[in-house]
Amino acid sequence: MERFTTEFDQTLRHAWHLFTEGREIPRHDVPETIHRSWSRSREYGLNESARILFDPVPRARLRELSERHRILLEHVQPDMTRLFDTLDSRDWVLAFIEAEGCVVASIGGEKPDMRDVVTALRPGVNLSEHIAGTSGPGCALAEGRPVVVSGGEHFFEAIRRFSCAAVPVMSPEGRVAGVLNGSRCHDGRPMGIVEPLMLAARSIENRMVQALPDTTLIRLHCNPAFVASPLAGVVALSEHGTVLGATSYARHLLGLESNAAVRIDEVLDTTHTAMLDTLRATDTPARFWRHNGVGLHVQLMRRDTPRMYPAGTSHPAAEAAGQRPCFDRQASRSVWQAERVYAQGLPVLINGETGTGKEVLARHLHESGPRRHGPFVAINCSAIPTELIESELFGYEPGAFTGASRHGKPGKFEQANGGTLFLDEIGDMPLALQARLLRVIQERTVTRLGGTRLLQLDCALLCATHRDLKRCVQQGEFREDLYYRINGLSVTLTPLRAREDFDALIDALLDELGGADGRLRLDSASRQRLRRHRWPGNIRELQQVLRLGAALTHDGVIRLEDLPLDLAEPASDPIEPGLTLQSAERAAIAQALVRNGGNVSATARELGVARATIYRKLQQFGLELPRDTCAEGSD
Ligand SMILES: Nc1ncnc2c1ncn2[C@@H]1O[C@H](COP(=O)(O)OP(=O)(O)OP(=O)(O)O)[C@@H](O)[C@H]1O
């Protein structure tokens, strides 16, 4: 039954009366949004006196909806719960409604007179305007803006006992992802929940943008005091500066349309690289200008997890433990496959130059796989004298050879039982031993040197090498049958000089070195210098350089003078005197391409230009990518 009690209700009743008679409603009697929604509801053929059942969709469909929106809900739930905790929980029902109008989560409504609200907002109920007429969720979805629908503003009489406020939540691409709604019984008092709903929606959007993998995050505001606050807009940029996601406030500040692929330098008066260099060199917000002259304060945003960050794929167990190492996008895909292959008990072969993280990856596979509770045993085949490899691997019985321990010793295979054996630098294993290794792997049993007892083995095998094993096979240095045995799947780690996420990796290592307060930074000149280095020792070498810088800096900013001498001096490739500007440019590009193994991204980064520029110059100068282009160069 309707309860028109206040002046507001009476004006509304009059307005409704005029609406049903098809007469004009005085302008200020009903908000425009409500009037439009009434008209749409009428066009859908709805009858305000009809009984509305609020039946949820069938269970199977609800399951499908929850599954489809699982990730979205993971972002929504924490803010919904937090907001609910600040309300008088007995009076309110909060709900999240997905873009097609179905409730996918709700909370609250303990009071007996809230039963109808709870029914209307239970998961599975469709509240789109074409079914439920004018209501907070339906109207906010249709209008794409926050709305309040109080008492008699609802289209259906049956729900005029309620009031609701609903605020859209935008996806990182700028589409409506759903609405956050708060409802309670209509009592004529102001709702007072719109602001809190908007803050929660902003926080959900922030979280969604921050979760975009393989991106650099910046936050911005027109007031520098708010840049580091939850009120700031957040933007996720690709390595080339394309906006891959942005919160609705960031879109508003930057004047971005939804779905448009825009580069940040098309909006701000700076280049993408220059902006990042400036931001990386400081902790405070820097000011950039939109092309229309509006100034914005911008700051680089560190991800919540300092060293480990998702790179396109995720393993919940390892990530929960903060153990996922940084892999670039290229390697990430193979890592994801390797996790699955390894979990099935198949061997994985890890290729990569020294220091690229082969052992880190092996440990990651072990720790995120089914054998994580067993031991992880590593042996570097190139670091042990040939005559000792056999006893190290297979163990020996007492007195098996001169100098052997009196008690005998279990080999690495035995030690790894129940877990993982990691054979590093397998390419350096002597041919004679390869035959024995193959037998052990095939038969899954081992006999210690000098013994006869057969020991059963139950360990997974991971192998790594910096050598091209296929070529070793062709040259007769590595057994073909062993090669296929250990190569269930092969993963190649990208050399540091060719990693697209070079800057992000530096930042992750700086965070790690900076400790809890994370106060370590590189100034822009030294960062440029690091980009130009060849990194023969890869991440291990980079770690060393940053460690040295961290030890030498007096204020947390690593400068050229804090870098090792060979790095601090620019490694210039001589460009002959007397060259024209054009030929100097040609030579610079050609040399940088060779230095970067043909990787266009790395070359562009080193030379401080866009990739498109490199491609254009290649064409202009008739240059070709080196034939021996490494895999990462296929960008
Ligand atoms: N993805 C990563 N994120 C952070 N640090 C890493 C990563 N990969 C490697 N490192 C660091 O780089 C160093 C070298 O890593 P690792 O020993 O795994 O390399 P490797 O390829 O096995 O080297 P080698 O072939 O010389 O044995 C280690 O200190 C490790 O912590």
Side-chain angles (χ1 to χ4, degrees):
M1 176 133 170
E2 291 177 35
R3 291 177 302 175
F4 292 115
T5 49
T6 62
E7 194 185 332
F8 164 83
D9 293 325
Q10 280 165 20
T11 310
L12 198 57
R13 182 163 52 172
H14 178 62
W16 177 259
H17 182 68
L18 294 174
F19 174 72
T20 52
E21 296 205 331
R23 287 158 60 193
E24 196 167 325
I25 304 175
R27 231 173 129 222
H28 297 294
D29 285 4
V30 173
E32 293 267 315
T33 44
I34 300 291
H35 191 189
R36 281 199 296 269
S37 178
W38 283 356
S39 305
R40 286 193 296 265
S41 305
R42 169 73 30 101
E43 279 162 24
Y44 292 132
L46 301 176
N47 173 359
E48 69 270 19
S49 316
R51 225 173 127 227
I52 169 160
L53 292 174
F54 296 119
D55 277 341
V57 292
R59 240 169 222 284
R61 166 97 179 107
L62 182 56
R63 251 201 315 275
E64 189 238 308
L65 272 177
S66 310
E67 189 44 41
R68 173 148 38 108
H69 298 298
R70 191 173 51 82
I71 308 243
L72 174 60
L73 279 174
E74 277 170 18
H75 294 305
V76 168
Q77 298 276 16
D79 279 292
M80 212 163 111
T81 317
R82 204 171 303 136
L83 172 58
F84 188 69
D85 289 344
T86 66
L87 301 170
D88 184 348
S89 57
R90 289 163 46 80
D91 281 344
W92 286 95
V93 180
L94 291 187
F96 185 75
I97 296 97
E98 49 90 57
E100 280 163 27
C102 262
V103 179
V104 280
S106 61
I107 176 171
E110 288 166 25
K111 273 191 190 163
D113 64 346
M114 296 286 289
R115 236 190 26 233
D116 290 349
V117 191
V118 173
T119 306
L121 290 172
R122 70 190 191 283
V125 173
N126 193 324
L127 293 172
S128 334
E129 264 183 351
H130 67 276
I131 294 177
T134 305
S135 74
C139 186
L141 280 175
E143 295 274 332
R145 65 168 84 173
V147 294
V148 173
V149 180
S150 298
E153 290 177 339
H154 285 92
F155 187 84
F156 278 103
E157 284 167 8
I159 51 177
R160 289 183 185 159
R161 287 201 315 111
F162 314 137
S163 286
C164 41
V167 170
V169 174
M170 307 304 279
S171 72
E173 299 78 34
R175 285 191 297 269
V176 176
V179 296
L180 198 56
N181 176 82
S183 295
R184 67 162 193 216
C185 290
H186 174 58
D187 59 7
R189 286 182 297 146
M191 297 278 286
I193 199 177
V194 178
E195 284 288 316
L197 282 173
M198 285 172 75
L199 279 177
R202 207 173 261 195
S203 163
I204 295 167
E205 291 177 8
N206 281 358
R207 202 163 311 129
M208 286 197 282
V209 173
Q210 285 179 50
L212 292 176
D214 301 330
T215 55
T216 304
L217 298 173
I218 54 171
R219 51 185 171 201
L220 37 113
H221 202 281
C222 35
N223 181 337
F226 292 130
V227 176
S229 80
L231 297 178
V234 181
V235 180
L237 297 172
S238 77
E239 53 165 326
H240 307 303
T242 304
V243 176
L244 294 183
T247 60
S248 49
Y249 187 57
R251 284 185 184 278
H252 165 74
L253 288 176
L254 294 170
L256 298 179
E257 303 283 326
S258 58
N259 293 331
V262 172
R263 280 198 335 272
I264 195 74
D265 43 21
E266 292 175 68
V267 191
L268 294 180
D269 199 7
T270 173
T271 65
H272 166 236
T273 331
M275 180 185 80
L276 289 188
D277 283 352
T278 309
L279 297 181
R280 283 186 172 120
T282 168
D283 247 1
T284 49
R287 196 172 203 186
F288 295 97
W289 303 90
R290 274 184 61 184
H291 289 302
N292 63 4
V294 173
L296 289 175
H297 298 270
V298 184
Q299 195 175 28
L300 206 57
M301 189 170 183
R302 294 273 154 100
R303 291 179 189 269
D304 293 341
T305 42
R307 165 186 164 185
M308 311 300 176
Y309 66 99
T313 58
S314 68
H315 187 287
E319 259 178 27
Q323 286 165 344
R324 191 178 177 85
C326 317
F327 298 114
D328 60 320
R329 195 166 348 145
Q330 184 91 16
S332 270
R333 278 182 223 119
S334 329
V335 170
W336 171 242
Q337 292 173 336
E339 284 171 4
R340 309 178 85 177
V341 164
Y342 170 78
Q344 303 292 322
L346 292 171
V348 174
L349 176 63
I350 307 169
N351 299 289
E353 294 177 11
T354 178
T356 43
K358 297 187 290 296
E359 181 161 349
V360 166
L361 173 57
R363 277 185 193 278
H364 165 74
L365 292 177
H366 171 74
E367 279 160 19
S368 58
R371 290 172 179 269
R372 60 182 166 276
H373 302 300
F376 176 86
V377 177
I379 177 168
N380 186 328
C381 305
S382 71
I384 304 176
T386 316
E387 60 280 11
L388 289 185
I389 297 184
E390 191 171 13
S391 60
E392 279 292 315
L393 271 181
F394 309 120
Y396 58 86
E397 295 292 359
F401 52 88
T402 327
S405 150
R406 274 194 300 131
H407 309 292
K409 194 176 162 197
K412 298 289 182 192
F413 268 105
E414 276 180 69
Q415 291 171 27
N417 244 341
T420 304
L421 178 64
F422 174 52
L423 294 179
D424 200 358
E425 297 308 354
I426 182 123
D428 293 347
M429 176 156 308
L431 258 177
L433 269 182
Q434 291 177 21
R436 174 125 202 242
L437 179 61
L438 180 67
R439 223 173 22 254
V440 170
I441 297 173
Q442 275 174 341
E443 292 167 11
R444 307 230 138 239
T445 56
V446 70
T447 315
R448 289 186 185 181
L449 288 184
T452 49
R453 205 160 37 108
L454 271 184
L455 299 164
Q456 288 298 325
L457 289 179
D458 171 30
C459 64
L461 191 65
L462 294 171
C463 296
T465 180
H466 71 281
R467 303 179 68 178
D468 181 347
L469 275 196
K470 227 176 187 162
R471 188 172 294 172
C472 296
V473 169
Q474 283 159 5
Q475 292 171 347
E477 293 164 7
F478 201 83
R479 289 183 67 115
E480 190 171 12
D481 42 11
L482 180 59
Y483 173 72
Y484 289 111
R485 263 289 158 179
I486 60 173
N487 188 4
L489 176 91
S490 98
V491 178
T492 301
L493 294 180
T494 315
L496 182 57
R497 64 186 166 282
R499 276 185 69 150
E500 300 165 334
D501 62 340
F502 183 77
D503 283 305
L505 186 59
I506 291 187
D507 291 337
L509 292 174
L510 283 175
D511 279 350
E512 195 177 53
L513 279 173
D517 56 357
R519 291 287 95 160
L520 262 186
R521 291 196 311 277
L522 273 172
D523 75 352
S524 114
S526 45
R527 189 178 283 270
Q528 297 270 17
R529 194 58 53 79
L530 297 196
R531 285 190 195 131
R532 295 202 48 167
H533 187 59
R534 298 272 305 136
W535 299 111
N538 292 293
I539 304 183
R540 185 179 290 115
E541 186 187 358
L542 174 62
Q543 262 178 341
Q544 282 305 110
V545 167
L546 296 179
R547 261 188 216 130
L548 178 75
L552 293 180
T553 170
H554 53 93
D555 60 356
V557 180
I558 301 175
R559 301 185 175 78
L560 283 179
E561 61 265 28
D562 304 321
L563 299 180
L565 276 183
D566 56 334
L567 258 170
E569 294 300 324
S572 57
D573 291 296
I575 291 174
E576 288 159 28
L579 282 183
T580 62
L581 185 59
Q582 239 197 17
S583 24
E585 198 178 21
R586 187 180 193 280
I589 292 175
Q591 288 169 6
L593 268 172
V594 170
R595 269 198 303 279
N596 290 292
N599 184 302
V600 176
S601 295
T603 305
R605 195 170 50 227
E606 180 186 321
L607 298 176
V609 296
R611 273 186 340 151
T613 310
I614 299 288
Y615 282 119
R616 195 161 33 80
K617 297 280 175 191
L618 286 177
Q619 228 175 15
Q620 181 186 340
F621 298 138
L623 285 169
E624 282 186 4
L625 288 174
R627 217 179 265 283
D628 195 20
T629 295
C630 58
E632 311 72 39
S634 55
D635 44 20

